[in-house]
């Protein structure tokens, strides 16, 4: 009798947990379906080969020079989990957390070099995904977009889900690439309404890919952009996208507040 009861209870518990799993899966699917509505798969940018100069100007603030990550901190007091490779590359580790600058910035010129893994794993958004989040809110997508179809407004050098790059200047995975970003922060009135939107000009490997585009608000996977008043300067961060076996690396990061 005892055995029957135990068996019955086990069956109920399995049924309950599989019901909860199914419910969670359908919840995840509904979010993914919402997020897919913001994807644009047309206007695929033409492929262009570029080049870049990586020397920092004399007045630049060096955020990363291959030696330490003293310019950054982890989110919510979490220790930085990124590692510094023998060649000086700052490499993401799954679950390492976002890399947030200690200093806050608004208008700026930002130089960032990144490398997606030579050993290609995954596809689409799961291939070397990271991001440069200006003011922690506005993402310039970092992705391996070399022969890697995904939605055009989510490929490398896109202002995520807002502006498709003019061309695709991505290099083969395993090569260093550069973004040179000129960013103007949004301005707000006292009452919180927008005076002028944020703008971005972006050179990808020396090629102009975003030409003074106006941002519609903070970038997001699911939510449509809506501006909300924020301070004139905020920390920027580099995204830990959390993909398995796709460690993005950064080097030579410098910024000039404008
Ligand atoms: Mg990203």
């Amino acid at each position: 009798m005892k055995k029957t009861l135990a068996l019955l209870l086990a069956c109920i518990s399995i049924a309950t947990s599989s019901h909860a799993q199914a419910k969670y899966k359908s919840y995840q699917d509904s979010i993914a379906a919402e997020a897919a509505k913001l994807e644009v798969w047309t206007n695929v940018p033409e492929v262009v080969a570029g080049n870049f100069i990586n020397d920092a100007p004399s007045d630049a603030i060096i955020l990363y020079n291959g030696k330490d990550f003293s310019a950054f901190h982890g989110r919510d007091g979490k220790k930085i989990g990124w590692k510094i490779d023998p060649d000086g590359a700052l490499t993401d580790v799954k679950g390492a957390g976002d890399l947030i600058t200690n200093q806050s910035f608004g208008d700026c010129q930002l130089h960032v070099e990144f490398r997606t893994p030579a050993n290609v794993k995954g596809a689409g958004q799961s291939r070397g995904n990271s991001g440069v989040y200006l003011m922690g809110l506005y993402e310039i997508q970092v992705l391996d977009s070399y022969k890697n179809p995904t939605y055009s407004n989510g490929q490398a050098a896109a202002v995520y889900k807002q502006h498709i790059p003019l061309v695709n200047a991505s290099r083969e995975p395993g090569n260093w690439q550069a973004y040179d970003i000129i960013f103007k922060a949004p301005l707000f009135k006292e009452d919180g309404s927008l005076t002028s939107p944020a703008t971005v000009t972006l050179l990808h490997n020396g090629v102009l890919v975003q030409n003074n585009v106006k941002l519609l608000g903070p970038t997001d996977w699911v939510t449509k952009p809506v501006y909300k008043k924020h301070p004139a300067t905020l920390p920027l961060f580099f995204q830990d996208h959390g993909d398995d076996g796709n460690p993005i690396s950064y080097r030579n990061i410098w910024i000039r507040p404008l």
Side-chain angles (χ1 to χ4, degrees):
M1 186 62 187
K2 252 187 183 171
K3 262 189 187 166
T4 317
L5 185 63
L7 190 64
L8 185 66
L9 286 172
C11 286
I12 291 170
S13 144
I14 289 166
T16 314
S17 80
S18 65
H19 175 69
Q21 276 173 7
K23 223 173 146 188
Y24 182 62
K25 168 98 180 35
S26 108
Y27 167 71
Q28 279 184 316
D29 288 349
S30 69
I31 291 181
E34 264 318 293
K37 287 181 191 165
L38 303 180
E39 297 170 3
V40 176
W41 286 78
T42 52
N43 302 337
V44 177
E46 182 194 336
V47 172
V48 167
N51 211 334
F52 62 91
I53 298 165
N54 59 10
D55 291 342
S58 60
D59 66 347
I61 297 170
I62 309 295
L63 293 176
Y64 181 70
N65 64 0
K67 293 190 180 79
D68 62 70
F69 32 67
S70 55
F72 299 95
H73 63 271
R75 199 170 291 286
D76 303 324
K78 220 182 113 187
K79 214 172 147 255
I80 293 173
W82 296 55
K83 63 180 171 65
I84 296 176
D85 298 330
D87 67 355
L90 180 56
T91 298
D92 193 9
V93 174
K94 192 182 179 193
D98 298 327
L99 206 56
I100 308 165
T101 58
N102 297 332
Q103 262 182 278
S104 290
F105 303 99
D107 297 0
C108 65
Q109 174 187 353
L110 173 65
H111 176 89
V112 175
E113 291 173 32
F114 65 92
R115 182 181 61 193
T116 62
N119 183 11
V120 171
K121 283 185 189 161
Q125 292 289 308
S126 302
R127 209 164 115 178
N129 196 330
S130 181
V132 181
Y133 278 75
L134 297 152
M135 304 194 89
L137 295 168
Y138 310 103
E139 182 185 14
I140 307 294
Q141 176 69 305
V142 172
L143 192 75
D144 175 1
S145 282
Y146 184 84
K147 298 183 180 173
N148 178 32
T150 186
Y151 43 96
S152 308
N153 59 349
Q155 71 174 67
V159 175
Y160 187 70
K161 285 190 169 170
Q162 294 189 26
H163 294 288
I164 298 168
L166 295 169
V167 293
N168 182 354
S170 297
R171 287 185 167 167
E172 261 183 83
N175 289 293
W176 285 103
Q177 310 193 51
Y179 283 165
D180 285 285
I181 302 165
I182 295 146
F183 174 72
K184 205 169 174 318
L187 294 172
F188 298 94
K189 293 190 188 112
E190 275 295 305
D191 66 4
S193 60
L194 189 71
T195 307
S196 60
T199 60
V200 164
T201 293
L202 170 62
L203 300 164
H204 183 189
N205 298 327
V207 181
L208 183 71
V209 290
Q210 299 288 355
N211 188 5
N212 197 31
V213 293
K214 289 185 173 70
L215 274 61
L216 308 170
T219 55
D220 190 74
W221 181 49
V222 185
T223 318
K224 282 190 180 167
V226 179
Y227 276 109
K228 214 172 148 193
K229 190 177 182 204
H230 59 66
T233 64
L234 285 168
L236 64 96
F237 75 82
F238 297 88
Q239 184 187 32
D240 162 33
H241 196 261
D243 297 319
D244 248 335
N246 272 306
I248 186 89
S249 297
Y250 288 99
R251 73 171 187 189
N252 202 17
I253 307 172
W254 51 259
I255 190 163
R256 296 180 63 245
L258 300 172

